[in-house]
């Protein structure tokens, strides 16, 4: 039995940021990691993936990007290298190859089963990742058996796929990137498009993330967002970190020869049925994009920046072919692979403390887990602000939660 004041589960960017905050407060702790530091970036991301967020935004507590390409987009392997170097610099006490199998209430604080070891701690921070499992819709169970299925967590490159057509389900960042890459391999790609977030890669000469940060949108707090559940489940924007930083919207994909269809609703007798509301879905995405661009323009004017920036402009509306198919026979041999780019979920199946809601999500108030003093969760979308969804958001989130954890420990002693 080992005792430590705090245990952090997961050595991704969130767990490492928390470790740095605990060290700053002289809180004795250990970080338990089932693989190596940055395991998700080493084992669960396809090699051609680049961050959507520009390099200058890859900030962590005590770390700013110092390379020679601040406006570039980091490949997954460089993210892993950056986090590994960060762990070393902040002296994070990481125990690698240590999988947590159970966390339960102990006589005092928590008991953690990690491999063959039993550990005790007064506080536990769950930093085990928000994107550990693929979210696959129930309709997947009706796929004909001859169709190969894959998730982005298993996908590495198009060479893995059998010859033939590919149906990519989901048109958020992952879906549009993989649809483009698979199409370039020569396979015909059909992209099923549900609700999505359309944004240009850059606007008025600045990266869109510059605008998202400058206008204050990313700083919006979780307790000031009208529909927090919706905000936490918003799809990622249709963006790519490809070096040429081009737009990756549906118009661009269609021009490349990718066929778009509506949301996949049902598979009956081997036939995929798509929503007929694609034009409406796209019109809504265009409207929301333009709303944000209006906000950006208003902010630029109010900040006196109009003279320094190119003038405002708008992008062509999304074109939807009125003749797009509403059905596709998946038994015909036209489609040989279905790729589920339908989102990601956390995996806290080993958490043996009753803190879940009816949907199985951890109940928390900005990362402070409800009904379990000393238990925290970090690295979830819109945890405390909209920036929490991204790497740089862990800076402020870990500061707030470490402060709370420190006060909690003090209250235990008094
Ligand atoms: C495809 C994709 C693209 C993204 N692109 C961007 C981007 O461009 N910019 C950006 O800022 N963010 C991006 N993100 C989002 C962001 O980086 C993720 O939210 C990030 O993976 C979460 O970081 P984390 O430290 O919370 O989790 P992770 O990096 O997933 O780290 C969690 C760690 O916990 C470990 N772990 C899990 N379970 C256990 C266990 N039981 N025992 C021990 N260890 C465990 C895992 O091995 C892992 O190392 C992207 C995410 C995905 C999936």
């Amino acid at each position: 039995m080992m005792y430590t004041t705090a245990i952090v589960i997961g050595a991704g960017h969130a767990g490492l940021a928390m470790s740095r905050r605990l060290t700053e407060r002289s809180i004795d702790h250990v970080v338990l990691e089932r693989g190596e530091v940055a395991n998700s970036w080493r084992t669960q991301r396809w090699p051609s993936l680049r961050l959507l967020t520009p390099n200058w935004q890859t900030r962590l507590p005590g770390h700013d990007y110092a390379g020679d390409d601040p406006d570039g987009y980091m490949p997954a392997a460089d993210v892993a290298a950056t986090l590994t170097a960060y762990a070393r610099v902040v002296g994070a006490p990481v125990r690698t190859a240590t999988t947590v199998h159970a966390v339960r209430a102990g006589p005092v604080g928590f008991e953690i089963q990690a491999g063959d070891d039993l550990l005790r701690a007064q506080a536990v921070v769950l930093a085990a990742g928000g994107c550990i499992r693929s979210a696959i819709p129930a309709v997947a169970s009706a796929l004909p058996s001859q169709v190969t299925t894959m998730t982005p967590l298993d996908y590495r490159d198009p060479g893995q796929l059998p010859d033939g057509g590919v149906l990519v389900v989901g048109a958020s960042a992952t879906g549009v990137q993989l649809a483009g890459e698979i199409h370039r391999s020569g396979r015909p790609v059909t992209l099923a498009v549900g609700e999505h977030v359309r944004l240009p890669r850059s606007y008025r000469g600045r990266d869109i993330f510059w605008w998202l940060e400058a206008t204050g949108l990313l700083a919006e707090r979780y307790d000031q967002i009208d529909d927090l559940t919706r905000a936490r489940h918003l799809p990622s924007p249709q963006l790519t970190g490809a070096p040429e930083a081009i737009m990756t919207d549906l118009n661009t994909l269609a021009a490349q020869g990718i066929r778009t269809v509506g949301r996949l609703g049902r598979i009956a007798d081997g036939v995929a049925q798509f929503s007929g509301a694609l034009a409406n879905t796209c019109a809504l995405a265009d409207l929301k994009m333009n709303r944000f661009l209006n906000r950006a323009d208003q902010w630029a004017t109010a900040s006196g920046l109009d003279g320094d920036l190119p003038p405002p402009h708008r992008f062509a509306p999304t074109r939807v072919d009125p003749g797009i198919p509403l059905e596709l026979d998946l038994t015909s041999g036209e489609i040989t692979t279905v790729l589920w780019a339908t989102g990601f979920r956390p995996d806290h199946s080993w958490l043996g403390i009753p803190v879940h809601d009816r949907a199985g999500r951890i109940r928390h108030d900005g990362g402070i887990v409800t009904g379990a003093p000393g238990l925290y969760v970090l690295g979830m979308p819109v945890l405390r602000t909209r920036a929490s969804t991204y790497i740089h958001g862990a800076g402020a989130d870990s500061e707030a939660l470490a402060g709370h954890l420190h006060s909690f420990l003090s209250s235990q002693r008094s």
Side-chain angles (χ1 to χ4, degrees):
M1 171 87 67
M2 174 192 159
Y3 177 79
T4 177
T5 306
I7 282 181
V8 178
I9 302 174
H13 78 268
L16 297 173
M18 188 48 135
S19 174
R20 152 95 192 208
R21 298 302 193 196
L22 296 177
T23 301
E24 280 169 357
R25 289 168 172 79
S26 303
I27 297 173
D28 149 55
H29 67 284
V30 59
V31 182
L32 304 179
E33 167 55 55
R34 63 181 177 175
E36 289 179 62
V37 167
N39 187 53
S40 298
W41 293 99
R42 293 175 200 281
T43 65
Q44 295 195 306
R45 309 281 185 262
W46 59 97
S48 68
L49 172 69
R50 286 174 179 262
L51 290 185
L52 304 177
T53 40
N55 290 338
W56 57 261
Q57 210 170 29
T58 304
R59 308 183 287 256
L60 284 168
H63 166 86
D64 280 324
Y65 177 78
D68 56 7
D69 187 19
D71 296 323
Y73 307 94
M74 214 176 275
D78 290 5
V79 181
T82 300
L83 295 182
T84 304
Y86 181 70
R88 214 175 306 118
V89 168
V90 302
V94 182
R95 277 172 63 175
T96 55
T98 305
T99 301
V100 171
H101 297 294
V103 174
R104 49 188 174 254
V108 180
F110 303 93
E111 272 183 4
I112 297 95
Q113 187 73 50
D116 293 334
D117 295 335
L118 190 62
L119 296 92
R120 282 201 177 142
Q122 275 176 274
V124 170
V125 181
L126 310 171
C131 304
I132 291 290
R133 282 191 173 165
S134 286
I136 301 177
V139 66
S141 62
L143 266 184
S145 58
Q146 67 266 38
V147 175
T148 300
T149 60
M150 195 165 281
T151 74
L153 297 180
D154 313 318
Y155 173 88
R156 290 295 166 268
D157 60 64
Q160 271 174 303
L161 311 180
D163 288 339
V166 179
L167 172 63
V168 177
V169 184
S172 297
T174 298
V176 297
Q177 286 175 43
L178 296 186
E181 175 165 295
I182 295 167
H183 173 74
R184 286 190 292 278
S185 78
R187 290 169 177 77
V189 173
T190 304
L191 179 64
V193 181
E195 186 196 359
H196 57 274
V197 176
R198 183 182 181 206
L199 281 179
R201 179 68 271 182
S202 63
Y203 179 61
R204 299 180 69 183
R206 300 295 179 109
D207 189 275
I208 197 69
F209 274 94
W210 182 85
W211 288 102
L212 291 169
E213 191 162 299
T215 55
L217 187 127
L218 289 180
E220 284 174 11
R221 284 177 54 96
Y222 74 106
D223 47 6
Q224 290 164 359
I225 293 174
D226 286 341
D227 189 346
L228 183 58
T229 304
R230 187 176 150 67
R232 286 182 169 158
H233 290 89
L234 209 60
S236 54
Q238 286 175 334
L239 291 172
T240 170
E244 59 274 20
I246 49 163
M247 192 112 170
T248 330
D249 62 359
L250 299 181
N251 287 347
T252 313
L253 296 182
Q256 290 166 8
I258 292 171
R259 173 171 64 173
T260 50
V261 293
R263 183 176 183 276
L264 174 63
R266 199 164 167 246
I267 300 173
D269 298 328
V271 177
Q273 300 174 353
F274 303 105
S275 161
L278 180 59
N280 290 345
T281 307
C282 292
L284 191 63
D286 288 356
L287 182 81
K288 288 184 177 169
M289 173 176 73
N290 287 332
R291 244 186 233 156
F292 177 68
L293 298 181
N294 291 342
R295 174 174 172 169
D297 290 337
Q298 282 158 11
W299 173 85
T301 302
S303 308
L305 287 175
D306 277 329
D308 302 332
L309 296 166
H313 63 96
R314 291 294 173 264
F315 297 85
T318 307
R319 288 180 295 278
V320 177
D321 176 358
I324 56 166
L326 295 177
E327 290 191 342
L328 202 52
D329 184 355
L330 299 176
T331 64
S332 71
E334 180 191 346
I335 298 291
T336 55
T337 305
V338 172
L339 180 66
W340 299 106
T342 35
F344 301 96
R345 295 282 175 270
D347 179 5
H348 295 123
S349 51
W350 32 265
L351 183 60
I353 299 176
V355 291
H356 298 89
D357 65 16
R358 269 184 296 178
R361 294 181 293 248
I362 293 180
R363 278 180 284 116
H364 66 91
D365 183 4
I368 302 156
V369 177
T370 311
L375 188 62
Y376 300 86
V377 62
L378 187 59
M380 297 291 133
V382 199
L383 185 88
R384 297 186 64 83
T385 66
R386 290 192 191 272
S388 306
T389 307
Y390 302 101
I391 291 171
H392 71 281
D397 292 355
S398 58
E399 175 64 17
L401 295 186
H404 191 281
L405 192 154
H406 188 252
S407 305
F408 166 74
L409 293 175
S410 304
S411 73
Q412 295 294 97
R413 281 194 289 271
S414 57

